[in-house]
């Protein structure tokens, strides 16, 4: 089976490319610029700008994928807020161009990686809860979701939350690695405790996406963690797992940070549908931290 993955140099993109290639899928990894994915498995790579309609159609037609996984996005809410037009181009226009190319190439399954930011407060949310994005990033992802739903193509929308996991050269450090790096140097950090999330261990979402592909499962699925934790609790769990000084972590509220965009305090996603239909079995957060730092 041929699978095309956009945003392949990103955190999820790299993990997903290697995971699917390990499971004997023929993977075409797509991103702008040079490949940053370690060559642990056999996969193809192409540098492409997915906001260029002609290039997108040419690429999809040439590879003729059975499945497109669209993981590329402008994903930093502050940047999306600062440049709405660029955000729309990368998050909405690119999605529409890929959908059009997929139709012409008779791609049988379009998988869109969305976000919990399509919702507002009062999480954790189920798949069909009322949407209410609090910032422009969330609005753009909801617009892209609607483009996918209305495309006429067989689709699956995947919503994760706060993806974390192992990093290597070519990947940006995650929040957990930021915590570790500061504590190792004896630096004090401030971390908020008045926000709730259901963080997603990256291997869990990869397994869930593989189940979607193999079972040709369509619709919307939340692939998140099973624990509701605050960033402060995440930081303390990281310190405890690594034997670092948790007293360096100061418990603060969101008011301590001036942010240009609004973020939900009570967020997170419910995963009952994925458990029932995909046999989705995420690790608990502390297990995920151990796997992140290869402590078994």
């Amino acid at each position: 089976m041929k699978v095309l993955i956009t945003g392949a140099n990103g955190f999820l993109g790299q993990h997903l490319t290697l995971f699917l290639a390990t499971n004997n899928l023929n993977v075409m990894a797509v991103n702008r610029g040079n490949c940053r994915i370690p060559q642990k498995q056999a996969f193809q790579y192409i540098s492409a700008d997915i906001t260029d309609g002609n290039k997108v159609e040419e690429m999809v037609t040439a590879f003729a994928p059975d499945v497109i996984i669209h993981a590329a996005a402008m994903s930093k809410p502050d940047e999306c807020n600062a440049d709405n037009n660029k955000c729309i181009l990368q998050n909405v226009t690119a999605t529409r161009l890929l959908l059009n190319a997929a139709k012409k190439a008779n791609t049988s399954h379009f998988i869109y990686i969305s976000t919990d930011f399509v919702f507002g407060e009062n999480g954790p949310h189920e798949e069909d809860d009322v949407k209410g994005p609090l910032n422009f990033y969330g609005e753009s992802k909801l617009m892209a979701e609607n483009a996918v739903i209305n495309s006429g193509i067989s689709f699956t929308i995947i919503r994760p939350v706060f993806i974390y996991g192992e990093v290597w050269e070519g990947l940006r450090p995650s929040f957990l690695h930021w915590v570790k790096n500061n504590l190792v140097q004896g630096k004090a950090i401030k971390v908020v405790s008045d926000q709730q999330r259901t963080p997603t261990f990256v291997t869990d979402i990869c397994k869930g996406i593989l189940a979607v592909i193999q079972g040709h499962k369509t619709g919307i699925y939340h692939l998140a963690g099973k624990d509701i934790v605050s960033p402060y609790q995440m930081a303390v769990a990281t310190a405890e797992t690594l034997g670092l000084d948790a007293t360096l972590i100061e418990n603060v509220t969101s008011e301590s940070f001036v942010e240009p965009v609004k973020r939900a305090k009570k967020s997170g996603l419910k995963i009952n549908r994925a458990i029932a239909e995909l046999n989705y079995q995420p690790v608990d957060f502390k297990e995920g931290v151990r796997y992140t730092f290869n402590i078994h």
Side-chain angles (χ1 to χ4, degrees):
M1 185 180 288
K2 299 203 299 190
V3 181
L4 186 149
I5 301 173
T6 70
N9 277 337
F11 188 82
L12 175 59
Q14 291 202 30
H15 279 273
L16 191 56
T17 295
L18 295 172
F19 184 85
L20 296 184
T22 302
N23 283 275
N24 300 316
L25 296 180
N26 179 354
V27 177
M28 170 71 82
V30 178
N31 211 99
R32 273 183 292 200
N34 295 327
C35 181
R36 298 203 305 267
I37 311 165
Q39 298 287 333
K40 296 178 182 177
Q41 302 293 334
F43 61 88
Q44 301 175 66
Y45 180 87
I46 184 170
S47 174
D49 177 1
I50 60 168
T51 65
D52 182 329
N54 292 330
K55 287 283 194 300
V56 169
E57 191 171 322
E58 185 181 300
M59 172 184 72
V60 173
T61 301
F63 185 58
D66 301 293
V67 181
I68 291 176
I69 303 174
H70 181 28
M74 185 173 177
S75 58
K76 292 184 177 177
D78 295 358
E79 291 179 5
C80 291
N81 184 64
D83 193 339
N84 288 184
N85 291 335
K86 186 178 178 183
C87 176
I88 291 293
L89 177 67
Q90 295 195 12
N91 290 355
V92 185
T93 305
T95 303
R96 291 188 173 129
L97 293 173
L98 282 160
L99 288 164
N100 290 339
K103 277 186 191 175
K104 291 180 180 177
N106 293 317
T107 297
S108 59
H109 196 175
F110 192 95
I111 299 174
Y112 179 65
I113 309 299
S114 189
T115 174
D116 61 314
F117 277 73
V118 299
F119 296 106
E121 287 289 359
N122 302 315
H125 299 277
E126 293 184 346
E127 284 83 352
D128 303 323
D129 282 358
V130 174
K131 312 303 176 292
L134 300 177
N135 54 54
F136 197 77
Y137 167 63
E139 288 179 27
S140 73
K141 294 294 280 186
L142 183 57
M143 290 164 71
E145 278 194 14
N146 289 331
V148 172
I149 291 167
N150 295 321
S151 68
I153 294 177
S154 182
F155 73 88
T156 309
I157 291 170
I158 304 287
R159 298 192 190 116
V161 182
F162 197 102
I163 302 173
Y164 69 98
E166 184 185 358
V167 300
W168 45 72
E169 187 177 351
L171 276 181
R172 289 178 187 162
S174 70
F175 170 72
L176 303 191
H177 292 84
W178 173 81
V179 171
K180 175 194 171 183
N181 293 341
N182 278 282
L183 299 187
V184 164
Q185 296 172 57
K187 293 181 180 177
I189 55 175
K190 295 181 178 183
V191 185
V192 298
S193 60
D194 61 344
Q195 295 178 357
Q196 292 184 345
R197 303 287 183 262
T198 51
T200 309
F201 180 55
V202 69
T203 305
D204 288 334
I205 187 173
C206 290
K207 289 177 179 176
I209 291 169
L210 180 62
V212 165
I213 292 169
Q214 291 178 333
H216 198 79
K217 298 289 188 178
T218 57
I220 303 175
Y221 290 99
H222 288 170
L223 298 183
K226 57 187 175 183
D227 298 315
I228 301 173
V229 292
S230 69
Y232 176 75
Q233 289 171 310
M234 293 182 218
V236 170
T238 300
E240 290 174 347
T241 300
L242 298 173
L244 298 171
D245 185 1
T247 64
L248 290 168
I249 307 169
E250 185 181 346
N251 182 342
V252 298
T253 65
S254 305
E255 278 64 45
S256 304
F257 299 97
V258 178
E259 291 188 308
V261 304
K262 191 173 181 183
R263 289 168 169 81
K265 286 191 175 180
K266 196 174 180 186
S267 181
L269 299 173
K270 294 182 181 178
I271 56 175
N272 299 1
R273 181 178 293 175
I275 291 169
E277 298 180 19
L278 303 176
N279 193 29
Y280 182 64
Q281 298 175 337
V283 298
D284 65 44
F285 182 71
K286 288 185 178 178
E287 277 183 284
V289 175
R290 288 199 298 272
Y291 287 132
T292 293
F293 295 104
N294 289 306
I295 299 170
H296 302 297

